Amino acid sequence: GGAAEGGGDGAASGGVPNYGAGGSHYPYMVSDVPSDYDFSRYEPLGGGRFAEYKDGSAPYEVTPSLTKQSDDLARSRRVHVKRAMEHIWRNYREYAFGKDELHPISHRATSNWGGMGTTLVDSLDTLWLMGMRTEFDEAREWVANKLSNANVGQVSGFETTIRSLGGLLAAHSLSGDKVFLEKADDLGARLIRAYDTPSGLPHGSVNLSTGHSNNFSWNGNHYILAEVGTQQVEYRYLSRATGKPDYARKSEKVFEILHKIQPGDGLMMQNLGDAGPGKAVFSGSKVSFGAMGDSVYEYMLKVWVQGGRTEPMYREMWDKAIDGVHDQLVQKSEPSGMTFLADRLTGSRIDRKMDHLVCFMGGALALGAYTDPGGVDSERARRDLRTARALTYTCYQMYARQKTGIAPEYVRFGTNDMSVPGDAPFYILRPETVESFYYLSVLTGDPIYREWGWEVFQSIEKYCRTKYGYGSLKNVNLPNSVEDRMESFFMAETLKYLYLLFDPDSEIDILHKHVFNTEAHPVKILSDVATV
């Protein structure tokens, strides 16, 4: 009913708040969600609402009483996100326990990741953070007794590092259970062999049994920027916890190589080649904060935070890149003036499209602003936070403007603001937008991000839920297009960030104690990691 569906007092659905955007009173507070709330009755409310957030300003004052109201409301929503995980886990346990993936329509179980229990390992910390300890303990037994990396064969070094290694490390960091560290050490020792290359950049593919590694022929045997630069949070934690310096040394060397060749504008091309020991060269000219580029920038910031903000090289690389982003990639849509980050092609040509993947940048920019060495009130931090907010509003609009209230894989920005491309109208349960809702909610305290997150969750419940789990959508403007595919990152990231968004009582502290890897696996900052 009514208020619980996000309509509030008419403000949210009408698009015009009761109080002008200059007023300080937040107008979107709604009543708590009943525990028997019927998601099937939810109707997406359409785009264009909340326009006072479009330019990245903070239109309403966050008061202690507003925060308390928002926290109480969040707890009534948190229950429903946990139920989503319980629904999946019940079926995963029955039909696919220990397998890489459960298919949410056919309930088939597949080992498409080489048989490493990918869904189970990727979900460990989500089970822990949701208080699903019985399920966590049962999964732990499987890890202890059944998980083996010895016969897996060829894997993506990057995907296996962020999902499997990251999942084991976060489970260790949260629970303190040594079994996760032992399994992580075994996996890390196999994965790290990808770094035995002419330059020291890690190959994209590695055989966990033989140690043989190579780059992907589909990408012309180049190294991929995002892949080489998104393994350091994991290896540094593993190094610290095991006392084995090799993990940190080999992975950190990548950033030393990148630091030497980072262009003056901070923006790095997405393909690399060897240029002798400790040296690499960029090839091609495409710059993107979407696929193949995205997370290298995220790790410049996160590796610096993980190290207690004491290693200036990483932060300097981040700040240089973010200056380049503002100078070249930040664009405005027409006619509404929504902020987005474009790709840069040959000859500085700008491609006015944005991947859903880019939506992580709202959260990253906000974290960068709140940890800025010059202080959160410095001009640079204020610029970065404004862009974070504006970009996250656009990412929310990517959802709200579609029939299902769910965003496609990417959008194009033409004469009519944003359009869904014919070649990628699908949604594969991606997390980046709710990830940014989480960061901005925690850091700014503005309740709006919980409002937007609740709309997204209601749409996922209504359009993606299946008998055995949640499925991807073939087309975000075709309500009945759910598919038999459920990536492990839906449990590892999407549901975790949604749960944490509505969990004011969480043990996670993103400013002082934890850093999330790019698969939403939180590990303690290095100074808090005890060596075994």
Side-chain angles (χ1 to χ4, degrees), residues 136 140 168 171-182:
F136 179 87
R140 178 226 179 258
L168 292 167
H172 174 255
S173 193
L174 290 166
S175 72
D177 191 325
K178 296 198 303 298
V179 73
F180 298 118
L181 185 61
E182 286 158 12

Side-chain angles (χ1 to χ4, degrees), residues 188-228:
R190 296 169 187 279
L191 286 168
I192 200 78
R193 291 183 289 190
Y195 285 77
D196 299 335
T197 64
S199 60
L201 296 180
H203 279 145
S205 175
V206 59
N207 188 306
L208 295 187
S209 322
T210 66
H212 174 76
S213 69
N214 56 272
N215 281 333
F216 301 110
S217 54
W218 62 261
N219 194 45
N221 297 314
H222 295 298
Y223 297 94
I224 295 171
L225 179 65
E227 297 199 346
V228 301

Side-chain angles (χ1 to χ4, degrees), residues 237-281:
Y237 180 94
L238 181 60
S239 184
R240 183 66 169 243
T242 58
K244 298 178 179 176
D246 230 32
Y247 290 132
R249 216 172 22 231
K250 285 187 169 158
S251 67
E252 287 166 349
K253 185 177 174 190
V254 171
F255 270 99
E256 286 153 25
I257 293 171
L258 293 176
H259 181 246
K260 278 186 265 187
I261 60 172
Q262 185 180 19
D265 61 12
L267 305 176
M268 301 196 284
M269 281 58 81
Q270 60 189 32
N271 286 328
L272 292 143
D274 293 309
K279 293 203 178 86
V281 286

Side-chain angles (χ1 to χ4, degrees), residues 270 286 288-294 340-343 351-360 391 395 398 408-413 424 430 432-433:
Q270 60 189 32
K286 186 174 173 186
S288 177
F289 277 71
M292 296 171 70
D294 55 3
F340 68 97
L341 298 195
D343 286 349
D351 186 15
R352 292 174 66 85
K353 70 173 260 278
M354 187 166 80
D355 288 351
H356 186 288
L357 288 164
V358 177
C359 289
F360 86 92
L391 182 63
C395 289
M398 283 171 68
E409 181 71 356
Y410 76 90
V411 291
R412 280 220 161 269
F413 291 91
R430 285 204 188 275
E432 291 76 23
T433 295

